[in-house]
């Protein structure tokens, strides 16, 4: 090959790199491992972690230990799907493009929206992009109003992005875990571009959000719904409570926990917002001979065409996880999704009632919950409670003090369809054990 | 042999009452959730999803997969995308229990092995870049650009300097100016000279005390290493600006030269290109960023720290720009990068770049007899040819070539990017292709340029569909299926 090139050595090919800029030593990176050695090394490191396959996982907070049917892994691990690029050549990407179109339709069916994109990074970045869409749509308005019951990390992301573009995040307190209509209405004004309403909220509470959406609408603001995808098996579509844009973390839809990512940012909207939508969209068309087929469409919104005038900078998205979500939703169907949501809710309800009977613990908020709820440790020793549960092989909850100092005696507990009554009873037994002789400060 | 049903939509295959996934009966006492939850929040009926048997779902998606070209099935010389072989071992190892099933809010004591891996990934990325401070949080290259530009903005805010401008060459990727806009900057385009490198005079005339960052892709999107990089950095630094390196093209320089050593202050990697993360038909990626020490306080948190033998999450200080996403980052992609780096070792990584550059130069040496390559006879990991003569003389465009290559069983190169080359055909073979494969590609290209323009305008001829009507798709968009 060097002969064809007309070079004496491979080193000669790097001549354009000035010699004083070269790295004149080997990289300080450990030597190569064979596949056998690498496998042993990886197993050793993996073995130091306690995963949800070994422990019993009651952690949620935006990422859930739902069941993943074998079909999802099997299909998504086909090389034709996972080793292909973004479908720039539609003739040899009809598989991916059709999957994108089906995914978009499934998301519209789930949310009641008119249009979905083909995915964003995660629930938080989808929430930010939704806010940016509304700021652009309602030009001149610079405020976004959210309750403190919106995921704390999503609120942090909104702040991160807003500080450079002159937008303001208004956070409305939710001391009882739920929104207060008066406080909410007071926070919305003629500068409000949109509100973001979580359903269920970060504390697991389900509210009738219609009056809160209506308050935004009457001030001329748009409504962004931030929902749990599985909950839509039993909860009302956001389109029915006036949402203009819907976002969600799609991890629940057949995607593994893998310590926080890659996940799936779901973003769908009403027709009127479509030109503001960030990211890829697959659309239907016909080919040269009139055959139905799919292409990337409305690309003039995107960075590779419009550069700084694009609706967003997103390029690589989460295609593989949109595929997994499409397979998952196709497997579950309407009845499967509903039954999954019901099972989560019923099991969570049982655990919640049982925990309330352990003397040291109480349920922090009165609001109705679906699969997740907040437990108060009246002794205040949340760390002690969670450590004890961990010693019993239970990942028992997420301490809330890290985000809500006033809830430093509380933790968040999530229950999925995978949890058995036996596991729930073990959880309760552990809390009852901890309650024996507990010093109760404010029972 | 092809299954003709495979282009029916999953919704058209649906039949009322069919089920795939069955759930166990409830083992807890029944409660009527309808009476527990507020009635105004409940759905009358579940969403109208399709209803299918498990076998229907499997056959449908399996058949769809066969309509794709992929690295596993075809040569995929898509320039700027580094479509190298994605080692299967990485898929298996990243799916080990203890890695794939770890919840993002688990206590640190239960994830020491994982944090150890991530700590090592930080160190490896720092070593390869020559930039010591690393955040693994961003979810893709573009997200890394944005995060790093926010870091720059926070740095200048702290210094009390108003620097509203980002400079970027005309050959830069679209994400560069789009990211700059989202970080509150205005982008000013710097021209490339006839040699494809940054036009230093143009740069000098545009850089000033308003310049925050010069975003450069080096090696560039033309596949050239900018020999003037040191001078470029000096010019920008002398005005108090920072150099951002778009690291999409790191596959050419691993272990050979380091961005931190050639003047860059910040960069992102695309581990889904350079470190073999599979592209998944559009994602996932990751966009880890590396910066100089003085910029470290502004990085998104958390990062991984180590005290003695214990690993922990460092939540950063008050100068951090904040979070750019939820949870830690795209860990699944970072794990694959870790396994890739450990499989190759330091010297193996250098060989990756040597072979990537060797392959690209070999391909260049043969392609330039078929299509002119405006920017010289040598390249780094990729090169950009031009079909503009072919277009003038025979009416054959870059698009025609791209489409016809599909008939010969090759994925098309990137076309019409970078914008500075008319009828651009951007070819990146990567190190994992053989000489035989590249020879076959050249022969196909040669045959195609001898074919009639009419035949090419209608190419591809062997794929399931050909030349979809994108204009109508955009003018009257149909973006979801509706029951007729
Ligand atoms: C030169 C260049 N810069 C930036 C990007 C953006 O990276 P990503 O797609 O991971 O967001 C790409 C990838 O397409 C690229 O080729």
């Amino acid at each position: 090959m060097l002969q064809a090139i007309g070079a004496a050595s491979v080193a000669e090919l790097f001549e354009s790199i000035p010699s004083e800029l070269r790295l004149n030593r080997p990289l300080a990176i450990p030597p190569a491992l064979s596949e056998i050695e690498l496998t042993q090394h990886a197993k050793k490191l993996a073995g130091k972690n306690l995963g949800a396959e070994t422990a019993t996982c009651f952690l949620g907070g935006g990422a859930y230990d739902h069941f993943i049917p074998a079909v999802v892994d099997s299909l998504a691990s086909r090389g034709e799907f996972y080793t292909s690029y973004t479908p720039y050549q539609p003739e040899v990407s009809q598989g991916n493009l059709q999957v994108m179109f089906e995914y978009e339709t499934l998301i519209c069916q789930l949310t009641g929206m008119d249009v979905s994109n083909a995915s964003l990074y995660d629930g938080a970045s989808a929430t930010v992009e939704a806010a940016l869409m509304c700021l652009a749509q309602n030009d001149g308005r610079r405020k976004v109003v959210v309750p403190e019951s919106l995921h704390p990390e999503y609120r942090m992301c909104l702040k991160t992005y807003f500080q450079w573009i002159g937008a303001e995040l208004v956070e409305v307190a939710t001391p009882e875990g739920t929104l207060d209509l008066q406080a909410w209405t007071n926070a919305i004004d003629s500068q409000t571009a949109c509100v973001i309403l979580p359903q269920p909220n970060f504390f697991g509470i389900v509210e009738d959000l219609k009056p809160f959406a209506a308050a935004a609408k009457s001030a001329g603001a748009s409504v962004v719904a931030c929902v749990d995808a599985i909950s839509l098996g039993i909860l009302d579509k956001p389109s029915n409570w006036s949402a203009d844009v819907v976002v969600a973390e799609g991890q629940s839809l057949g995607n593994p926990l893998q310590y926080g990512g890659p996940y799936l940012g779901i973003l769908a909207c009403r027709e009127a917002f479509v030109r503001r939508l960030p990211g890829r969209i697959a659309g239907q068309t016909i080919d040269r001979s009139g055959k139905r087929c799919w292409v990337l469409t409305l690309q003039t919104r995107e960075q590779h065409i419009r550069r700084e005038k694009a609706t967003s900078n997103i390029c690589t998205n989460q295609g593989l996880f949109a595929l997994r979500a499409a397979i998952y939703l196709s497997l579950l169907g309407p009845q499967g999704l509903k039954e999954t949501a019901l099972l989560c809710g019923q099991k969570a309800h049982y655990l919640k009632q049982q925990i309330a009977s352990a003397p040291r613990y109480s349920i922090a908020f009165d609001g109705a919950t679906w699969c997740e709820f907040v437990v108060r440790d009246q002794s205040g020793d949340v760390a002690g409670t969670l450590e004890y549960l961990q010693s019993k092989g239970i990942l028992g909850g997420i301490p809330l003090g890290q985000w809500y100092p006033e809830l430093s005696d509380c933790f968040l507990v999530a229950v999925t369809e995978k949890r058995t009554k036996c596991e729930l009873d073990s959880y309760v037994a552990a809390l009852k054990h901890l309650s024996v002789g507990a010093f109760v400060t404010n029972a | 042999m092809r299954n003709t049903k495979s282009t029916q939509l999953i919704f058209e295959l649906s039949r009322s009452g069919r089920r795939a996934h069955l759930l166990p009966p409830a083992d807890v006492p029944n409660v009527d959730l309808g009476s527990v939850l507020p009635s105004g929040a409940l759905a009358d009926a579940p969403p109208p999803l399709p209803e299918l048997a498990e076998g229907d779902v499997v056959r449908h998606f399996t058949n769809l997969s066969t309509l794709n070209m992929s690295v596993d099935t075809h040569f995929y010389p898509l320039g700027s995308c580094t479509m190298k072989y994605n080692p299967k071992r990485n898929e298996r190892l990243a799916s080990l229990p203890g890695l794939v099933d770890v919840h993002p809010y688990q206590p640190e004591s239960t994830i020491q092995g994982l944090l150890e891996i991530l700590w090592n990934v930080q160190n490896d990325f720092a070593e390869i870049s020559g930039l010591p401070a690393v955040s693994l949080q961003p979810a893709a290259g573009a997200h890394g650009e944005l995060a790093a530009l926010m870091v720059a903005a926070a740095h200048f805010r702290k210094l009390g300097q108003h620097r509203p401008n980002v400079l970027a060459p005309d050959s830069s990727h679209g994400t560069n100016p789009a990211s700059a806009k989202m970080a509150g900057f205005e982008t000013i385009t710097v021209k490339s000279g006839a040699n494809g490198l940054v036009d230093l005079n143009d740069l000098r005339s545009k850089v000033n005390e308003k310049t925050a960052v010069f975003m450069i892709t080096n090696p560039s999107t033309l596949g050239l290493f900018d020999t003037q990089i040191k001078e470029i950095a000096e010019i920008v630094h002398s005005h108090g600006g920072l150099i951002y390196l778009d690291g999409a093209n790191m596959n050419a320089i691993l272990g050979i030269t380091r961005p931190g050593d050639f003047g860059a202050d910040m960069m992102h990697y695309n581990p889904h290109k350079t470190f073999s993360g599979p592209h998944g038909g559009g994602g996932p990626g990751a966009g880890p960023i590396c910066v100089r020490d003085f910029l470290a306080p502004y990085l998104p948190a958390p990062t991984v720290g180590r005290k003695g033998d214990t690993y922990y999450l460092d939540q950063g200080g008050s100068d951090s720009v904040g979070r750019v996403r939820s949870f830690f980052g795209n860990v699944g992609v970072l794990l694959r990068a870790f396994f890739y780096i450990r499989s190759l070792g330091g010297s193996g990584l250098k060989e990756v770049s040597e072979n990537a550059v060797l392959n690209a130069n070999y391909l260049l040496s043969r392609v330039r007899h078929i299509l002119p390559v405006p920017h010289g006879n040598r390249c780094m990991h990729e090169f950009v040819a031009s079909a503009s003569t072919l277009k003038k003389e025979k009416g054959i465009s870059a698009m025609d070539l791209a489409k016809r290559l599909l008939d010969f069983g090759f994925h098309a190169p990137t076309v019409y990017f970078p914008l500075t080359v008319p009828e651009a055909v951007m070819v990146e073979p990567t190190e994992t292709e053989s000489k035989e494969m590249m020879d076959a590609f050249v022969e196909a290209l040669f045959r195609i340029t001898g074919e009639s323009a009419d035949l090419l305008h209608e190419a591809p001829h062997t794929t399931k569909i050909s030349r979809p009507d994108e204009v109508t798709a955009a003018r009257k968009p149909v973006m979801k299926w509706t029951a007729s």
Side-chain angles (χ1 to χ4, degrees):
Chain A
M1 297 204 313
L2 283 169
Q3 213 175 355
I5 298 168
S9 67
V10 170
E12 197 187 308
L13 303 175
F14 289 91
E15 266 176 353
S16 62
I17 305 179
S19 58
E20 74 272 19
L21 302 182
R22 304 284 184 90
L23 183 67
N24 292 316
R25 59 167 177 82
L27 285 169
I29 284 179
L33 298 177
S34 65
E35 184 173 354
I36 294 176
E37 293 165 300
L38 183 68
T39 302
Q40 289 157 347
H41 185 52
K43 282 191 170 161
K44 205 179 100 205
L45 289 165
K48 292 186 187 175
N49 309 315
L50 180 67
E53 290 301 312
T54 318
T56 315
C57 182
F58 290 91
L59 306 184
Y64 300 90
D65 183 29
H66 289 293
F67 185 77
I68 301 173
V71 169
V72 178
D73 285 329
S74 165
L75 291 173
S77 60
R78 288 186 66 87
E80 299 93 326
F81 281 132
Y82 86 87
T83 73
S84 57
Y85 202 76
T86 301
Y88 290 139
Q89 292 294 338
E91 287 92 343
V92 291
S93 312
Q94 282 300 298
N96 282 337
L97 283 161
Q98 188 174 328
V99 169
M100 284 164 68
F101 185 79
E102 292 181 349
Y103 164 83
E104 290 162 14
T105 303
L106 290 162
I107 296 303
C108 290
Q109 293 177 338
L110 203 56
T111 58
M113 291 290 106
D114 300 321
V115 196
S116 163
N117 76 1
S119 76
L120 294 173
Y121 305 136
D122 69 343
S125 57
T127 302
V128 172
E129 292 279 12
L132 298 181
M133 285 171 74
C134 295
L135 285 162
Q137 183 87 353
N138 303 316
D139 200 15
R141 295 178 174 230
R142 299 310 294 166
K143 284 188 198 168
V144 172
V145 178
V146 304
E148 281 181 357
S149 56
L150 176 67
H151 196 303
E153 292 189 353
Y154 292 23
R155 284 183 286 127
M156 289 180 202
C157 290
L158 288 164
K159 279 183 214 159
T160 303
Y161 279 71
F162 283 4
Q163 61 189 313
W164 315 109
I165 57 168
E168 186 191 339
L169 185 69
V170 180
E171 295 172 277
V172 179
T174 51
E176 304 305 321
T178 47
L179 269 170
D180 172 69
L181 189 56
Q182 195 57 50
W184 180 250
T185 309
N186 289 346
I188 299 168
D189 62 22
S190 63
Q191 273 302 300
T192 308
C194 70
V195 301
I196 304 177
L197 286 165
Q199 179 81 312
N201 71 21
F202 188 69
F203 307 122
I205 298 173
V206 176
E207 295 163 87
D208 182 354
L209 292 170
K210 289 192 191 89
F212 301 94
K217 284 282 151 104
S218 66
S222 304
V223 174
V224 176
C226 181
V227 299
D228 180 292
I230 299 282
S231 77
L232 293 172
I234 54 171
L235 297 185
D236 205 9
K237 287 182 184 52
S239 56
N240 285 348
W241 45 274
S242 314
D244 299 295
V245 184
V246 179
V247 296
E249 174 51 77
Q251 179 271 333
S252 313
L253 304 176
N255 296 309
L257 287 167
Q258 44 190 354
Y259 196 54
Y263 285 176
L264 169 65
I266 293 174
L267 177 61
C269 66
R270 293 194 191 270
E271 186 86 49
F273 286 73
V274 64
R275 302 273 158 187
R276 310 269 179 211
L277 199 59
R280 316 281 185 205
I281 303 175
Q284 183 175 310
T285 188
I286 50 168
D287 84 339
R288 189 157 56 77
S289 59
K291 262 190 237 135
R292 180 175 72 169
C293 61
W294 289 275
V295 293
L296 291 177
T297 197
L298 301 183
Q299 292 191 70
T300 50
R301 299 163 299 109
E302 292 194 66
Q303 48 74 28
H304 61 284
I305 311 278
R306 288 295 289 279
R307 300 176 72 82
E308 64 271 17
K309 296 199 181 67
T311 53
S312 166
N313 66 339
I314 190 165
C315 178
T316 290
N317 58 21
Q318 302 292 117
L320 189 66
F321 297 89
L323 165 71
R324 293 179 68 101
I327 298 167
Y328 180 85
L329 288 170
S330 303
L331 286 169
L332 264 69
Q335 200 55 30
L337 189 72
K338 180 177 172 181
E339 288 172 15
T340 302
L342 282 173
L343 268 184
C344 295
Q346 301 218 321
K347 288 174 191 249
H349 201 73
Y350 173 75
L351 183 64
K352 187 176 168 184
Q353 281 181 332
Q354 296 296 309
I355 287 177
S357 71
R360 177 170 148 180
Y361 302 92
S362 62
I363 302 304
F365 300 122
D366 291 338
T369 58
W370 168 58
C371 84
E372 206 165 12
F373 52 89
V374 177
V375 177
R376 172 163 284 134
D377 179 346
Q378 300 183 54
S379 81
D381 184 15
V382 170
T385 294
L386 296 177
E387 261 162 48
Y388 180 74
L389 286 168
Q390 197 181 309
S391 75
K392 298 280 160 199
I394 297 169
L395 295 166
I398 305 167
L400 289 179
Q402 56 186 318
W403 301 297
Y404 302 92
E406 69 283 10
L407 299 178
S408 59
D409 55 351
C410 293
F411 54 98
L412 186 64
V413 180
V415 184
T416 69
E417 75 284 9
K418 275 170 78 174
R419 300 285 74 83
T420 62
K421 177 166 182 293
C422 179
E423 290 168 340
L424 306 179
D425 289 339
S426 305
Y427 191 111
V428 175
L431 293 194
K432 287 198 168 146
H433 172 85
L434 286 169
S435 299
V436 175
F439 174 61
V440 174
T441 50
N442 55 346
Chain B
M1 255 232 321
R2 212 185 267 288
N3 181 340
T4 51
K5 283 216 176 293
S6 64
T7 48
Q8 277 193 284
L9 287 162
I10 194 129
F11 313 102
E12 294 159 347
L13 301 170
S14 170
R15 292 294 176 274
S16 175
R18 281 201 187 141
R19 293 284 305 263
H21 184 59
L22 299 180
L23 289 129
D27 54 359
V28 294
N30 190 41
V31 276
D32 177 14
L33 288 175
S35 63
V36 171
L37 298 170
S39 58
L42 293 172
D44 299 333
L49 301 171
E51 298 173 79
L52 303 128
E54 186 168 319
D56 301 335
V57 176
V58 170
R59 192 170 288 158
H60 176 73
F61 286 99
T62 304
N63 279 317
L64 280 186
S65 78
T66 66
L67 303 179
N68 290 338
M69 274 190 177
S70 67
V71 175
D72 276 4
T73 53
H74 294 84
F75 181 35
Y76 214 123
L78 193 66
S80 208
C81 300
T82 316
M83 297 298 282
K84 62 172 74 180
Y85 167 64
N86 310 124
K88 299 297 172 193
R89 67 188 65 171
N90 298 350
E91 297 307 306
R92 181 152 87 187
L93 298 178
S95 305
L96 285 172
L99 297 179
V100 80
D101 58 343
V102 174
H103 189 280
Y105 290 139
Q106 281 185 217
E108 288 165 11
S109 64
T110 64
I111 51 168
Q112 284 296 305
L114 182 62
L115 292 178
E116 182 178 340
I117 293 177
L118 296 170
W119 188 79
N120 276 295
V121 171
Q122 285 176 184
N123 289 347
D124 291 348
F125 285 166
E127 166 66 4
I128 295 166
S129 66
L131 295 166
V134 182
S135 167
L136 300 176
Q137 195 174 96
H143 205 213
E145 293 169 16
L146 174 58
L149 289 171
M150 289 181 186
V151 165
H155 165 68
F156 290 120
R157 181 171 64 188
K158 182 97 177 173
L159 293 180
Q161 297 178 3
H162 178 62
R163 291 177 177 265
N165 297 339
V166 159
L167 307 186
D170 48 12
S171 60
S172 70
H173 196 262
T175 51
N176 291 188
S179 299
K181 157 101 179 304
M182 290 177 84
F185 293 107
E186 193 178 324
T187 303
I188 296 175
T189 303
V190 176
K191 281 191 213 120
S192 305
N195 57 6
L197 307 181
V198 171
D199 178 338
L200 288 190
N201 287 330
D202 198 51
L203 173 64
R204 280 198 194 89
S205 74
K206 286 171 179 163
V207 69
N208 53 39
E209 73 293 342
K210 291 211 163 78
T211 307
V213 179
F214 181 48
M215 298 181 86
I216 185 167
T217 311
N218 194 29
S220 71
T221 58
L222 292 165
L224 304 173
F225 190 90
D226 200 316
T227 48
Q228 328 158 99
I229 184 68
K230 219 172 158 203
E231 209 177 338
I232 291 171
E234 278 162 16
I235 294 169
V236 173
H237 286 149
S238 73
H239 288 84
L242 299 172
I243 298 284
Y244 181 82
L245 181 93
D246 178 331
N249 295 336
M250 285 300 288
N251 212 44
I253 58 171
L254 301 170
I256 290 166
T257 180
R258 307 193 305 170
D261 298 343
F262 63 64
D265 303 295
M266 319 183 274
M267 70 167 288
H268 78 259
Y269 287 99
N270 302 71
H272 46 303
K273 302 181 191 218
T274 314
F275 301 110
S276 82
H279 284 81
I289 53 175
C290 306
V291 302
R292 290 200 191 281
D293 276 327
F294 70 92
L295 296 170
Y298 309 105
L299 284 175
T303 53
V304 182
R306 185 168 81 163
K307 252 194 225 110
D309 286 337
T310 307
Y311 298 89
Y312 64 96
L313 292 175
D314 182 340
Q315 298 297 343
S318 56
D319 284 338
S320 164
V321 294
R323 285 191 156 274
V324 293
R325 54 161 297 160
S326 58
F327 312 124
F328 184 85
N330 277 0
V331 174
V333 180
L334 300 168
L335 287 174
R336 286 165 177 80
F338 174 74
F339 295 131
Y340 181 75
I341 292 170
R342 284 293 170 279
S343 290
L344 289 161
S347 57
L349 288 175
K350 189 173 178 191
E351 282 171 42
V352 163
S353 290
E354 288 170 346
N355 285 318
V357 170
L358 176 65
N359 272 358
N361 276 283
Y362 175 72
L363 204 50
L364 165 61
S365 74
R366 298 210 53 196
V367 166
R368 76 186 157 91
H369 300 297
I370 306 171
L371 289 177
V373 177
H375 296 293
N377 296 342
R378 289 288 165 82
C379 65
M380 297 300 283
H381 64 298
E382 67 190 356
F383 61 89
V384 182
S386 170
S388 66
T389 321
L390 202 59
K391 180 146 192 213
K392 254 174 248 142
E393 289 172 1
K394 294 180 69 180
I396 297 172
S397 66
M399 187 60 82
D400 294 332
L401 291 179
K403 296 295 184 196
R404 185 63 175 147
L405 276 165
L406 307 177
D407 281 330
F408 285 79
F410 298 101
H411 194 280
T414 296
V415 287
Y416 301 102
F417 175 76
L419 309 176
T420 49
V421 176
E423 297 294 320
V425 179
M426 184 189 214
V427 190
E428 180 179 14
T430 82
E431 71 283 5
T432 58
E433 294 299 332
S434 64
K435 176 172 178 295
E436 297 74 55
M437 181 58 85
M438 293 189 286
D439 286 339
F441 175 80
V442 172
E443 273 148 39
L445 193 63
F446 180 72
R447 273 187 55 189
I448 292 168
T449 51
E451 290 181 325
S452 84
D454 288 344
L455 180 84
L456 265 57
H457 293 329
E458 303 217 320
H461 297 275
T462 59
T463 49
K464 185 146 193 148
I465 61 140
S466 181
R467 303 268 177 157
D469 181 351
E470 298 188 8
V471 175
T472 306
R475 202 169 287 155
K476 293 189 196 141
V478 178
M479 294 170 285
K480 69 172 181 206
W481 172 84
T482 30
S484 50

